[in-house]
Amino acid sequence: MTSEQYKELSVSEFTKAAERYESNHAGIYEMCKKDYPDILEELEKEEFSSLLDAGCGPAPMISLLAEKYPTRHYTGLDLTPAMIEQAKKKNIPNADFVVGDCENFPFEKNTFDAIICSNSFHHYPNPQAFFNSVKRCLSPGGILILRDVTSDNKLLLWFIDNIELPLANLCGHGDVKIAKRATVMECCKNAGLKVEKFEIRKGMRMHCVVRKI
């Protein structure tokens, strides 16, 4: 499939999921909640005044952050208009929500002190473009916290990428590839970003911390 076809599938998938994404009937999206504590813990170590949530969905993370840090400014970016509509309905103070592509952030240079991205990266056909946008839009010293599914087991990755994800795409999902350690490292190197931490935590959860130096 082409990049645009993957993105069209993602928009279709998450348009259908938008209203139930945070409900008790979220299905597979329930796993996203497991990332929130780890992201919050990482952000506690940082001084930030502006934060971008890339692939924000209906803004569950921004909701938590705005409650914990009410004086800071938040921006949510998502490819799916229905997700942004749900986010806006929350009327979160100091938050803006934008329909846009995480492979090409529609923001100026050095706009954000922190960027978070949770369970969205595997939908990006061109991961290098995402990291290039991160480099451009992070302020010097700024941090990216990236969470997704990954593994160092090559056989398992082959099975997921070649069997599981194509079947999911036939069912209307816009999954491209599992986030691989080597891909993240290479993309960050090419973008001029420093990987400070790359861990595979319980449940195949990638916990990656990247710095703009």
Side-chain angles (χ1 to χ4, degrees):
M1 287 194 293
T2 66
S3 293
E4 289 308 311
Q5 286 173 324
Y6 274 119
K7 291 176 185 181
E8 287 171 5
L9 274 177
S10 289
V11 170
S12 176
E13 172 189 352
F14 289 106
T15 297
K16 296 173 184 175
E19 291 190 5
R20 61 181 173 88
Y21 191 87
E22 294 183 275
S23 73
N24 293 327
H25 307 287
I28 61 170
Y29 308 115
E30 186 74 20
M31 74 174 67
C32 300
K33 296 176 182 178
K34 297 179 181 179
D35 283 350
Y36 304 163
D38 296 74
I39 295 172
L40 289 170
E41 182 180 356
E42 205 68 58
L43 286 172
E44 286 175 358
K45 307 170 189 175
E46 300 294 320
E47 293 291 335
F48 68 95
S49 59
S50 57
L51 177 143
L52 170 67
D53 187 348
C56 66
M61 269 305 304
I62 290 180
S63 298
L64 293 172
L65 287 165
E67 184 175 340
K68 186 170 184 176
Y69 305 109
T71 62
R72 305 182 190 185
H73 188 269
Y74 305 96
T75 302
L77 178 70
D78 203 284
L79 190 64
T80 303
M83 285 294 194
I84 293 299
E85 288 174 13
Q86 292 297 317
K88 287 181 176 179
K89 287 179 181 179
K90 294 182 174 181
N91 296 313
I92 302 171
N94 302 324
D96 297 313
F97 296 101
V98 180
V99 176
D101 194 335
C102 288
E103 291 185 352
N104 184 19
F105 293 166
F107 309 111
E108 299 296 323
K109 291 182 180 179
N110 306 329
T111 300
F112 305 104
D113 302 319
I115 297 174
I116 61 175
C117 181
S118 174
N119 281 289
S120 181
F121 185 70
H122 64 277
H123 291 282
Y124 306 162
N126 185 355
Q128 186 66 62
F130 166 74
F131 284 106
N132 292 346
S133 281
V134 168
K135 173 65 181 296
R136 178 173 58 83
C137 293
L138 268 182
S139 57
I143 190 174
L144 163 70
I145 302 168
L146 178 64
R147 300 275 304 188
D148 216 297
V149 174
T150 194
S151 173
D152 282 332
N153 185 319
K154 292 183 179 180
L155 181 60
L156 178 60
L157 289 175
W158 183 92
F159 177 81
I160 294 173
D161 283 344
N162 292 278
I163 306 296
E164 187 174 319
L165 295 190
L167 288 174
N169 292 337
L170 288 174
C171 296
H173 290 252
D175 303 319
V176 182
K177 283 187 179 296
I178 292 299
K180 296 177 180 62
R181 184 189 296 264
T183 300
V184 172
M185 295 296 184
E186 181 180 2
C187 287
C188 286
K189 180 180 179 180
N190 292 339
L193 294 163
K194 180 184 178 182
V195 179
E196 292 189 340
K197 185 185 298 183
F198 190 107
E199 299 174 355
I200 301 177
R201 297 184 174 179
K202 185 178 179 181
M204 294 178 60
R205 304 308 302 163
M206 176 179 71
H207 184 84
C208 183
V209 179
V210 177
R211 184 85 58 181
K212 178 176 176 177
I213 53 177

